[in-house]
Amino acid sequence: MGTSATRDTAENRRRTNGAPDVDAVVVGAGFAGLYMLHRLRGMGLSVQVFERGSGVGGTWYWNRYPGARCDSDSVEYSYQFSDELQQEWRWTERYPGQPEILRYLEHVADRFDLRRDIHFETTVAEAVFDEAAGCWRIATEDGANLSATYCIMATGCLSAVNRPAFDGLDRFEGAWYHTGAWPHETVSFAGQRVGVVGTGSSAIQSIPLIAAEAQHLTVFQRQPNYTIPARNGPLDEAEYAAVRANYGELRRRAKRTATGSWWHPNPTAAAEMSAEEREGEMEARWQRGGLSFYGVFDDLLANGEANGIATEFIRGKIRTQVRDPEVADLLSPHSYMGCKRICLDTDYYETFNRPNVSLVDISDAPIEEITRTGLRAGGKEYELDTIVFAIGFDAMTGPLLRVDIRGAGGRSLREKWADGPRTYLGVAIEGFPNLFTVTGPTSPSVLTSMVPTIEQHVEWISDCIAHARACDRPRIEATRAAEDAWMEHHEEVAAETLFPSCNSWYVGANVPGKPRTVTPYTGGFATYIEKCDAVVANGYEGFSLTTG
Ligand code: NAP
């Protein structure tokens, strides 16, 4: 690790004075970490970033699987903190592909000269609060140490992969990959018998491309998902120019919505519409493509009947696209729609009409083991040359808990969260002073458009740090009462939704043994922003600020 680079003369001086090495350590160099570094540096703080990958990008550095693409429109899925940046960058397609987003983030890193403070290929193993010195001591896997007044976890929501824990994987003689840790080299499937395990977003994006190349593709499905046509294509120049001329207003408007997105939610409940109106609304959103299907009825995520109308519509669409009725049936979900993340696809259902693709239902016949030459599920052997595990992530808490974080009095975050995460606003944790989480558990994060939600957090956290420094009380900590009140509100609003009823990663159901709790805040982005702003207006209500 290049820590020598961090220990310039000024820092050495601080060390001999007993002061921490730097003002802030940021963990992660994706969308969140890059902006956090830029922002704190702009406030005059010394900052060092630790990043596991060999380059910037976070999610978009790791997820290089075939077809990896963002489900948000490119014009939305970008920073707004710099108008020059949003004016000079040119997206090419409606939804940006992984290589294009990675190029964008590399451009951002260069444009704002960020790389000089980032330590790549450096995994943080431990962050321990040193009560006497009032600082965080950060230790990396390769044995380096750094102390900082503030520690900001910009580790992302979906960065800890759900590792395949199947018996026999080490004996498999073919190649295997996880979509969330894809190699940098091109992977060829030509002439191969390929198995894809999983049918979430990553699988739904990669399956059509793998099928087009492989000799045969077998998809192993535990639960089907709802997917809407993406309808990707090149950006229309005139429309794009209009967006660029109006970015400010479009961004402001998005912040007043529940999801932070630009699409218009239908403000009417399903029961208040006629059958024709409902059909028209669903068809229009299906034809337009994209995640705006979430906004089809005002009560889609709160009312089982409204939800049932939408799901019957989707099942009808599946039946018209998939020729074999048995396969169509297997691909048709019967759970509520939206309490698992809705997927977007290009030619997903049509792929199952190909003669070289088969679908295997493993809902009642799980994968028993990986064999030397394939896998066995439901007592049947499947011969495979390559297995692609598209089995998702230990979402939201995983990226934080894989670091051994210990707060005041040596208290471990793993212990504190043994029954599920508890935070204040998803940014701070009682007992862990001067530790902040960008889009942490119980923040709206994954239920909103990720980049605006990240920017809101980065700005809120950096303003909070600026406040603590300005009033000369640099130790800031969420109080127990504030955390309890936030968690009560979080649980109350979640209980009014359909989210608790689905076995999704939103509730941790995809990771065996994980406590079941609705992890993201379901109250909506606009409400969340209001709450964060009120905390500031009331003098950082719910935080104790001390000299430390
Ligand atoms: P995911 O949605 O969690 O899907 C994982 C899939 O693997 C599910 O079908 C799951 O089945 C299956 N699975 C997990 N463990 C299994 C096991 N032991 N045996 C058999 N099947 C197993 O993961 P993902 O597709 O990587 O997506 C995760 C999230 O990342 C998305 O929801 C989305 O938020 C984000 N993402 C976004 C994009 C985009 O913007 N375009 C693309 C990819 C991912 P069950 O459903 O039965 O659990």
Side-chain angles (χ1 to χ4, degrees):
M1 157 187 173
T3 30
S4 55
T6 72
R7 293 178 185 149
D8 62 13
T9 357
E11 277 154 14
N12 276 329
R13 251 181 282 125
R14 292 161 65 107
R15 299 191 112 212
T16 41
N17 291 342
D21 297 327
V22 288
D23 294 316
V25 155
V26 175
V27 186
F31 267 101
L34 290 178
Y35 183 32
M36 187 52 91
L37 166 59
H38 176 64
R39 179 97 178 176
L40 293 177
R41 213 194 242 174
M43 285 160 46
L45 271 66
S46 54
V47 189
Q48 294 293 300
V49 178
F50 294 114
E51 166 54 53
R52 197 162 47 98
S54 62
V56 300
T59 287
W60 303 103
Y61 171 92
W62 296 102
N63 286 267
R64 298 169 187 246
Y65 60 83
R69 186 175 289 284
C70 183
D71 283 348
S72 295
D73 284 34
S74 52
V75 290
E76 293 181 51
Y77 198 81
S78 48
Y79 291 118
Q80 56 190 293
F81 71 80
S82 159
D83 193 48
E84 294 80 15
L85 172 66
Q86 68 185 358
Q87 293 299 337
E88 78 198 8
W89 182 262
R90 286 288 184 273
W91 296 105
T92 61
E93 292 178 280
R94 176 173 174 188
Y95 307 97
Q98 175 272 333
E100 193 170 20
I101 306 176
L102 191 56
R103 277 199 302 281
Y104 171 74
L105 288 171
E106 284 169 348
H107 168 75
V108 169
D110 292 335
R111 193 190 190 286
F112 298 102
D113 187 23
L114 300 177
R115 291 179 204 267
R116 66 184 155 89
D117 285 327
I118 306 176
H119 303 274
F120 293 106
E121 295 180 26
T122 307
T123 302
V124 171
E126 199 180 88
V128 178
F129 188 66
D130 179 335
E131 196 104 49
C135 69
W136 282 91
R137 301 204 175 275
I138 318 291
T140 66
E141 273 182 2
D142 53 10
N145 294 284
L146 200 71
S147 60
T149 309
Y150 299 100
C151 176
I152 296 125
M153 301 300 288
T155 37
C157 296
L158 294 159
S159 53
V161 298
N162 199 2
R163 300 215 168 268
F166 300 102
D167 281 349
L169 184 58
D170 52 339
R171 290 195 301 269
F172 182 53
E173 288 173 359
W176 68 268
Y177 307 95
H178 189 297
T179 47
W182 202 261
H184 290 205
E185 313 77 56
T186 308
V187 174
S188 170
F189 299 102
Q192 295 190 26
R193 298 160 303 171
V194 182
V196 170
V197 181
T199 47
S201 279
S202 306
I204 283 175
Q205 289 189 325
S206 54
I207 281 168
L209 295 168
I210 297 174
E213 206 188 331
Q215 181 204 100
H216 191 89
L217 170 64
T218 310
V219 176
F220 298 90
Q221 173 184 276
R222 199 162 63 176
Q223 294 178 80
N225 268 295
Y226 292 101
T227 173
I228 308 286
R231 306 210 193 279
N232 189 32
L235 278 177
D236 176 89
E237 263 315 305
E239 280 176 26
Y240 193 9
V243 165
R244 284 202 304 279
N246 203 19
Y247 252 131
E249 179 49 27
L250 289 162
R251 304 278 201 189
R252 266 191 298 279
R253 210 190 292 157
K255 285 188 181 154
R256 297 196 290 266
T257 70
T259 63
S261 307
W262 293 10
W263 47 263
H264 295 286
N266 173 10
T268 315
E272 289 161 22
M273 299 165 76
S274 68
E276 293 72 38
E277 284 170 336
R278 287 195 294 259
E279 191 65 22
E281 189 71 38
M282 291 188 289
E283 188 62 37
R285 287 176 194 261
W286 179 270
Q287 291 308 331
R288 165 96 181 107
L291 290 177
S292 83
F293 208 92
Y294 270 113
V296 70
F297 308 130
D298 186 44
D299 52 350
L300 179 83
L301 298 176
N303 181 315
E305 272 179 43
N307 201 284
I309 294 169
T311 59
E312 187 44 46
F313 173 86
I314 308 276
R315 286 190 290 272
K317 291 291 186 192
I318 298 171
R319 286 192 291 274
T320 61
Q321 292 173 87
V322 180
R323 281 199 292 271
D324 181 334
E326 252 177 62
V327 176
D329 202 38
L330 275 182
L331 288 168
S332 297
H334 289 271
S335 55
Y336 288 129
M337 172 181 204
C339 64
K340 281 177 93 169
R341 163 74 148 66
I342 297 177
C343 307
L344 297 190
D345 72 276
T346 300
D347 300 334
Y348 179 64
Y349 292 123
E350 290 85 341
T351 299
F352 291 89
N353 296 330
R354 294 178 66 108
N356 70 330
V357 174
S358 32
L359 180 65
V360 176
D361 174 21
I362 54 166
S363 55
D364 291 325
I367 295 173
E368 288 147 26
E369 67 164 340
I370 309 295
T371 64
R372 217 170 38 75
T373 55
L375 66 78
R376 194 171 61 244
K380 197 170 165 207
E381 302 261 349
Y382 297 87
E383 297 283 304
L384 301 168
D385 303 305
T386 299
I387 306 177
V388 173
F389 294 102
I391 56 173
F393 301 89
D394 180 357
M396 300 195 77
T397 51
L400 295 167
L401 295 181
R402 67 182 169 181
V403 178
D404 188 6
I405 301 177
R406 290 170 187 270
R411 191 170 176 208
S412 142
L413 187 63
R414 290 173 188 159
E415 278 165 30
K416 172 162 175 151
W417 285 5
D419 296 327
R422 297 188 68 78
T423 81
Y424 182 36
L425 298 166
V427 291
I429 305 161
E430 176 269 328
F432 296 76
N434 294 4
L435 177 84
F436 294 94
T437 52
V438 183
T439 64
T442 86
S443 76
S445 56
V446 291
L447 299 179
T448 59
S449 186
M450 278 311 290
V451 184
T453 218
I454 284 170
E455 280 185 301
Q456 187 263 348
H457 260 201
V458 166
E459 287 163 15
W460 197 95
I461 292 167
S462 48
D463 288 352
C464 176
I465 291 175
H467 172 78
R469 287 162 57 90
C471 62
D472 238 359
R473 289 177 294 157
R475 177 173 160 150
I476 182 156
E477 182 180 351
T479 66
R480 180 70 187 266
E483 186 176 276
D484 286 349
W486 173 251
M487 290 308 297
E488 199 179 315
H489 167 68
H490 169 77
E491 283 156 18
E492 214 172 83
V493 289
E496 289 164 11
T497 69
L498 300 175
F499 287 102
S501 65
C502 277
N503 286 331
S504 69
W505 60 258
Y506 292 143
V507 300
N510 63 329
V511 177
K514 193 167 172 172
R516 190 179 176 113
T517 118
V518 177
T519 318
Y521 175 64
T522 55
F525 193 37
T527 308
Y528 178 78
I529 293 174
E530 273 170 31
K531 289 189 179 292
C532 289
D533 290 350
V535 167
V536 177
N538 294 329
Y540 286 91
E541 187 178 21
F543 285 95
S544 75
L545 282 131
T546 53
T547 48

